[in-house]
Amino acid sequence: LGFLPGLLNRGGWGGQIEAVRIASDRRNQGLGERMIAWAVEQCRARGCFMAQLTSNNDRVAAHRFYERLGWQKSHAGFKAYLAETP
């Protein structure tokens, strides 16, 4: 969970949720829903005007999960790696 100043909403803050994972043997126990709800609450507490999350294109089941929670697909993203990652 990260917080980013933006240009939208007069320079308002946005929350960035990424790398959400639940171990396969712990799925369907409500943990993912609680984790996302916690992250959204942290964004609200920080005064963010929006929260967004990223998810790899091939994680179709995760996309269904987010949509079930009321999230909407909004745009495609792009990356440029600037340094090697461990």
Side-chain angles (χ1 to χ4, degrees), residues 27-63:
R27 292 184 185 147
N28 299 312
Q29 298 176 26
L31 297 173
E33 201 166 332
R34 291 194 340 242
M35 192 163 57
I36 295 296
W38 176 86
V40 168
E41 192 52 42
Q42 298 306 302
C43 292
R44 282 192 178 106
R46 178 77 180 246
C48 295
F49 76 96
M50 69 138 186
Q52 63 183 16
L53 60 85
T54 59
S55 181
N56 195 297
N57 286 329
D58 63 357
R59 298 190 67 225
V60 178
H63 297 183

